[in-house]
Every structure is written in structure tokens, then in C-alpha cells.
Amino acid sequence: KNQVEQSPQSLIILEGKNCTLQCNYTVSPFSNLRWYKQDTGRGPVSLTIMTFSENTKSNGRYTATLDADTKQSSLHITASQLSDSASYICVVAWRTSYDKVIFGPGTSLSVIP
Amino acid sequence: NAGVTQTPKFRVLKTGQSMTLLCAQDMNHEYMYWYRQDPGMGLRLIHYSVGEGTTAKGEVPDGYNVSRLKKQNFLLGLESAAPSQTSVYFCASRGRNTEAFFGQGTRLTVV
């Protein structure tokens, strides 16, 4: 069964600290993996997208890694800011006639001063 | 540049009532999607469209209908609202080689 799991479910960190969010998936055949940020009451916004051949992608203070062999991805946030407080969603696409995707349940991150 | 716009943003319905949610995009995207988001769960695909005049069922299509009469608009209809359809609904669109862009969401409560 195609699934996307994320951990932890929620996380609280102090402003300025780093953190890493995890995503495990069982989607096959794999097409790409995306990380989205969703602020409360808003729609998700794309942070990174990685295909099978890419194992790291950065977007400012966000760095995503992908291990297609173990089917794991992580999102590392450096020097966190209060504005990083949001839900982070891992989305995995598998290859069909068009890309179908599965959304993970998300990790809720709270950055406190 | 509005991107993806959803209307309305909030709505309260009584059980059995019908309504239509409108999604409009101004990026000339081919693909459009309707999702629902429930607490503790990932977004789930209701219906999608790969082009004007075409629609297809997603993961949770029961109780919903859609239409894509114009390329820029994707309508989601609830025929007879049920409390189980209380959710936040998101529309998204993307081009053939672009990332998906999401609307701001519609919070629907069915009482």
C-alpha cells in the first residue's frame, strides 16, 4: 500500500535552534518528493522538490535530503525563526500517466522565543 | 497576479443543502485539483482535471461533483451536504512542468 509517514507529529524548538523533520514513504514507482510549508489558515506552499537522482536540495534555510534506496527524506531547518512556525508536509508522487501524489499528515512545528 | 483564488472562504450549511465552491487560476495551468484536509490526516484528493472539459475521480469523490467548463475555473459541488463533509477544502493548479500552487482554502461546516 502506498503510504507517507512523517515524524515527529509535532515539535517545539527555541528560536535560533536547528531541527530536522522526517518523512518515510512506500510509494512505488517513485517519481518525486516535495516538501511544503503550510501556515495556519493558509494553503500549502512549495519549499523543495526532488527527483530520484537528486539527494539534496536547498531553499534558503531549508535543506531537504532524499535517500531513494531507503525511501526516506528529511527537511533540515537552520537557525529557526518565529515565522517558521507552521505545518510541514511531505508529498510523494508516483509515476503514472500523470503524476499522482500522496500527502503525508504533516509535522507541526512551533518556534518559540 | 492572483494565482489560485477560492470562493467562498467560509461557509456554514445545513444537512441536505447544496453548494458550489469556485476555484479560479490565472496562470493558464492545465491541471487543477480539489482536496479536503481533515485534522491529523494528509490532504486527500476529491476530484481532478487534466484539461478543460475533462474531470476524473480522486481518492474520496463520493458526495461531490466537479466541472471544468473553462480552463481557468474548477467548480466543486456538494449535492446534499452531510456533517462528514465538514472540512477545509483546497484547490490547486499546476502546469505541465511546474510546481503546484494552492488556494487559501474554504472552511466548510455542515450542521
Side-chain angles (χ1 to χ4, degrees), chain A residues 9 34 36 38 41-46 48-49 89 98-101 103-105, chain B residues 31 33 35 37 40-43 45 48 50 90 94 99-100 102-105 107:
Chain A
Q9 184 176 3
R34 315 162 194 186
Y36 284 85
Q38 185 177 20
R42 309 291 291 268
V45 175
S46 178
T48 64
I49 178 170
I89 303 172
Y98 74 99
D99 276 354
K100 286 188 176 181
V101 299
F103 286 76
Chain B
Y31 305 103
Y33 309 84
Y35 294 93
Q37 186 175 38
M41 302 180 71
L43 276 77
L45 182 64
Y48 64 94
V50 299
F90 286 98
R94 71 174 181 91
E99 189 47 79
F102 285 80
Q104 299 280 53
R107 185 173 295 277

Side-chain angles (χ1 to χ4, degrees), chain B residues 62-110:
Chain B
D62 293 341
Y64 305 95
N65 58 72
V66 289
S67 65
R68 184 101 181 265
L69 298 179
K70 293 182 178 180
K71 186 177 184 179
Q72 63 267 33
N73 296 336
F74 195 29
L75 279 64
L76 177 70
L78 280 71
E79 300 149 346
S80 178
S84 61
Q85 294 178 305
T86 293
S87 188
V88 181
Y89 292 85
F90 286 98
C91 174
S93 74
R94 71 174 181 91
R96 292 187 185 279
N97 297 299
T98 72
E99 189 47 79
F101 294 84
F102 285 80
Q104 299 280 53
T106 296
R107 185 173 295 277
L108 175 66
T109 302
V110 183

Side-chain angles (χ1 to χ4, degrees), chain B residues 7-86:
Chain B
T7 54
K9 290 183 171 52
F10 303 92
R11 185 73 185 269
V12 178
L13 286 179
K14 293 183 179 179
T15 296
Q17 286 185 317
S18 62
M19 78 163 292
T20 299
L21 283 66
L22 171 64
C23 177
Q25 53 95 4
D26 60 4
M27 296 171 282
N28 201 35
H29 284 167
E30 292 291 332
Y31 305 103
M32 296 188 74
Y33 309 84
W34 274 107
Y35 294 93
R36 59 178 289 173
Q37 186 175 38
D38 300 295
M41 302 180 71
L43 276 77
R44 291 181 293 168
L45 182 64
I46 304 171
H47 285 280
Y48 64 94
S49 170
V50 299
E52 181 179 328
T54 70
T55 63
K57 295 180 179 180
E59 181 184 356
V60 288
D62 293 341
Y64 305 95
N65 58 72
V66 289
S67 65
R68 184 101 181 265
L69 298 179
K70 293 182 178 180
K71 186 177 184 179
Q72 63 267 33
N73 296 336
F74 195 29
L75 279 64
L76 177 70
L78 280 71
E79 300 149 346
S80 178
S84 61
Q85 294 178 305
T86 293

Side-chain angles (χ1 to χ4, degrees), chain A residues 26-42:
Chain A
T26 58
V27 173
S28 181
F30 174 83
S31 176
N32 60 70
L33 185 146
R34 315 162 194 186
W35 282 94
Y36 284 85
K37 178 186 179 186
Q38 185 177 20
D39 293 312
T40 301
R42 309 291 291 268

Side-chain angles (χ1 to χ4, degrees), chain A residues 21 30-36 46-67 72-78, chain B residues 97 99:
Chain A
L21 314 180
F30 174 83
S31 176
N32 60 70
L33 185 146
R34 315 162 194 186
W35 282 94
Y36 284 85
S46 178
L47 293 175
T48 64
I49 178 170
M50 290 180 292
T51 60
F52 183 88
S53 60
E54 298 173 297
N55 56 24
T56 187
K57 184 75 69 79
S58 291
N59 179 358
R61 294 179 297 101
Y62 301 101
T63 299
T65 64
L66 173 65
D67 186 333
Q72 296 179 325
S73 177
S74 65
L75 180 68
H76 186 74
I77 304 175
T78 303
Chain B
N97 297 299
E99 189 47 79

